[in-house]
Amino acid sequence: MSTPTILAVDDEAFFRFLLERHLTEAGFSPLSAADGVQALSILEQHQVDLVLSDLVMPEMDGLKLIEAMRKRHPGVPIIVVTAHGSVESAVEAMRRGAYDYLEKPYNPEDLRMTIQRALDYHHMVRENEQIKGLLTERFTFQSIVTENPQMKQMLELASRVAAARKTTVALYGESGSGKEVLARAIHFAGKGLPADFVAVNCAAIPEHLMESELFGHVRGAFTGADRDREGKFSLARNGTILLDEIGDMPLSLQAKLLRVLQERVFERIGSNSPVPLNCRVIVATNKSLAELVAAGRFREDLYHRVNVFPLSIPPLCERKEDIPLLCEHILAQLRQHLGKQLPGISPKAMEAMLNYRWPGNVRELRNCLERAAILTDGGPIPLPHLGIGAASSEATPAAEAPGLVSYRLSLAPEELSLDALTTLILTQTLERCGGNKSKAAQLLKVNRKAFYRS
């Protein structure tokens, strides 16, 4: 790492000399200025990591220098070092943006430690800003590439609801279609910070732990609760909580979630103190909540509470025009990640991708391309590297009309029966729809529960 450059600003020549000596002994590279005006000129000409400034100076005093730096050099921390110290001047300097405050005469070791703390703090702030910038760039509506009219309309609606932080959003879509990516885009469009987005997979948490996971608990609330614990709703304060796979949430907890969304408060287990709900709530599911309500597996009142602003992400098989765009978008990321040129995809490989039904949606497409990119040594990605050759031969024909489905009869004559044919039709239709029961039921115009009975 390069030696940090510290600018010492003081109207007394002897004190500037003393500061420069102490800075050199502490391992820093010193510069000096006699007043604020000269300091701003040096800041324009040199890369300065931190400024040490007196308060009382001619031309431009320390407080005015702080204000000017906040406008012109906001990334450079400033520490006030002055013999004219008082509680009032310290408070005013900190209020205007100074990192810290030292009085003359100072201890050289205290000065060194204060400078190092300031440098470390601002380095961490810069790193966080870079991370936030990278995440914000990745999870924006602009980063979701599409030419599909239905997808564009959905993104337009999502951008509108992003500003309404108290409105509950319901995301519907098959597994791998990008529900969490869309949720993060809504979060960042609403000026959310990366750390304030909390995702909870309701299908992955055991039922007896879910309430504590969501709302937290206090010490002694139950056996094993040896300390207070914040829940996901607390961690998402001022941000966004995504309740993924909400259709798998137990009915007992659905009632508690309903109250939280209605009252905008929650309580940690073992506590009677209400905690305000101060976050955006987004729910996501790959199931039809309306069908779950009809089957008695999801509360109707909760359904109406979470379905305030529904957004449906069409599966990849219904927006084939997006596949070339998505391929180039993903390959651009892989070029940077793998350090390869990856000129593109061969015509045969692209034809196979356009004919493949992509049951895993965009997630499967990304994984497929990453594997192919690793295997490819140069030139366009060939069909064998994609690993979808066998699957693509069973893809649903693009021009096939709904309801006009052909079936492979795999039953011997003696096995033919109404029940056997029904099971065969249900099974092969489900295969064609990539395991999506709702889509298969819609295609056959039957109740989704038929696939559980077969």
Side-chain angles (χ1 to χ4, degrees):
M1 293 179 63
S2 59
T3 303
T5 299
I6 312 298
L7 174 60
V9 187
D10 199 288
D11 59 332
E12 295 183 20
F14 174 75
F15 192 73
R16 290 200 304 274
F17 168 77
L18 198 62
L19 269 174
E20 288 183 15
R21 192 178 110 187
H22 288 155
L23 289 171
T24 302
E25 291 174 349
F28 301 116
S29 177
L31 294 173
S32 63
D35 56 46
V37 175
Q38 189 178 355
L40 291 175
S41 177
I42 292 174
L43 285 166
E44 296 291 341
Q45 302 173 37
H46 297 272
Q47 178 66 41
V48 175
D49 297 291
L50 183 140
V51 172
L52 297 169
S53 177
D54 191 9
L55 275 182
V56 180
M57 296 180 294
E59 297 295 329
M60 177 184 286
D61 64 19
L63 293 179
K64 291 181 180 178
L65 174 61
I66 292 172
E67 287 187 343
M69 285 181 59
R70 293 286 71 79
K71 294 177 182 178
R72 295 159 63 176
H73 306 280
V76 181
I78 183 168
I79 297 172
V80 171
V81 185
T82 180
H84 308 278
S86 67
V87 174
E88 291 78 11
S89 59
V91 170
E92 184 62 18
M94 301 285 281
R95 188 185 70 81
R96 299 199 189 189
Y99 172 79
D100 211 340
Y101 183 92
L102 290 174
E103 291 188 34
K104 304 174 186 175
Y106 61 82
N107 183 304
E109 181 60 18
D110 289 343
L111 177 66
R112 185 194 68 79
M113 292 178 63
T114 304
I115 291 174
Q116 194 59 56
R117 281 198 304 269
L119 291 174
D120 291 343
Y121 173 77
H122 280 266
H123 177 70
M124 179 184 68
V125 169
R126 284 194 296 270
E127 281 191 338
N128 287 341
E129 287 296 324
Q130 290 173 355
I131 292 171
K132 179 185 176 183
L134 290 172
L135 286 173
T136 304
E137 181 181 352
R138 179 180 175 186
F139 296 109
T140 61
F141 295 120
Q142 291 73 27
S143 68
I144 303 176
V145 294
T146 185
E147 288 295 336
N148 180 265
Q150 185 181 352
M151 191 75 175
K152 286 184 175 181
Q153 183 180 23
M154 185 275 297
L155 291 174
E156 169 63 23
L157 293 173
S159 66
R160 287 174 177 264
V161 77
R165 292 186 66 251
K166 292 186 177 180
T167 299
T168 304
V169 180
L171 306 182
Y172 295 90
E174 295 180 3
S175 295
S177 58
K179 297 187 291 296
E180 183 168 341
V181 172
L182 179 59
R184 288 183 183 272
I186 293 172
H187 170 73
F188 285 120
K191 309 303 180 184
L193 298 174
D196 295 332
F197 182 90
V198 178
V200 183
N201 188 338
C202 297
I205 304 172
E207 182 175 351
H208 66 284
L209 296 178
M210 189 172 290
E211 184 175 0
S212 174
E213 189 74 16
L214 290 179
F215 308 125
H217 62 255
V218 298
R219 181 180 178 182
F222 50 82
T223 302
D226 55 352
R227 58 185 176 84
D228 290 357
R229 185 175 188 272
E230 282 194 295
K232 301 299 187 183
F233 277 99
S234 292
L235 295 175
R237 67 175 65 91
N238 300 318
T240 300
I241 186 168
L242 169 64
L243 300 178
D244 200 7
E245 307 299 350
I246 192 173
D248 294 307
M249 179 177 284
L251 284 167
S252 59
L253 197 61
Q254 290 179 25
K256 292 176 177 155
L257 177 61
L258 174 65
R259 179 180 177 276
V260 169
L261 297 179
Q262 286 178 335
E263 306 296 331
R264 301 294 298 181
V265 296
F266 62 92
E267 295 176 357
R268 293 188 293 172
I269 299 176
S271 172
N272 293 322
S273 301
V275 180
L277 178 65
N278 188 21
C279 65
R280 180 199 303 273
V281 178
I282 300 178
V283 303
T285 179
N286 61 3
K287 301 175 181 177
S288 168
L289 293 184
E291 289 184 11
L292 292 179
V293 170
R297 294 164 54 195
F298 199 84
R299 292 180 62 105
E300 184 174 7
D301 46 8
L302 179 59
Y303 167 69
H304 292 300
R305 177 60 63 178
V306 300
N307 204 49
V308 179
F309 202 94
L311 295 171
S312 296
I313 304 176
L316 189 56
C317 63
E318 293 181 6
R319 48 188 185 105
K320 294 292 184 73
E321 67 270 36
D322 285 347
I323 290 178
L325 289 173
L326 287 167
C327 286
E328 182 50 42
H329 181 71
I330 294 169
L331 285 178
Q333 296 173 343
L334 291 172
R335 290 184 189 109
Q336 184 176 6
H337 175 63
L338 299 175
K340 287 188 173 184
Q341 291 187 356
L342 301 174
I345 299 172
S346 70
K348 283 188 177 180
M350 181 56 71
E351 182 183 1
M353 297 177 86
L354 290 172
N355 288 328
Y356 185 52
R357 61 176 180 262
W358 299 108
N361 290 287
V362 180
R363 182 187 295 128
E364 183 185 3
L365 175 65
R366 178 179 295 277
N367 294 343
C368 178
L369 286 176
E370 183 171 355
R371 175 183 179 275
I374 292 172
L375 294 174
T376 301
D377 294 324
I381 292 174
L383 175 58
H385 288 175
L386 291 174
I388 62 170
S392 62
S393 64
E394 297 179 5
T396 304
E400 186 177 83
L404 300 180
V405 183
S406 60
Y407 296 93
R408 302 182 303 276
L409 187 62
S410 57
L411 299 172
E414 63 272 12
E415 295 176 320
L416 286 174
S417 69
L418 182 59
D419 288 343
L421 286 172
T422 300
T423 300
L424 179 69
I425 291 171
L426 291 173
T427 302
Q428 292 191 15
T429 304
L430 191 60
E431 288 177 0
R432 285 179 175 273
C433 296
N436 188 317
K437 295 182 177 65
S438 298
K439 187 176 178 181
Q442 184 179 9
L443 185 64
L444 292 176
K445 295 181 172 57
V446 298
N447 192 294
R448 190 172 184 268
K449 288 187 286 187
F451 290 92
Y452 293 101
R453 294 194 298 265
S454 64

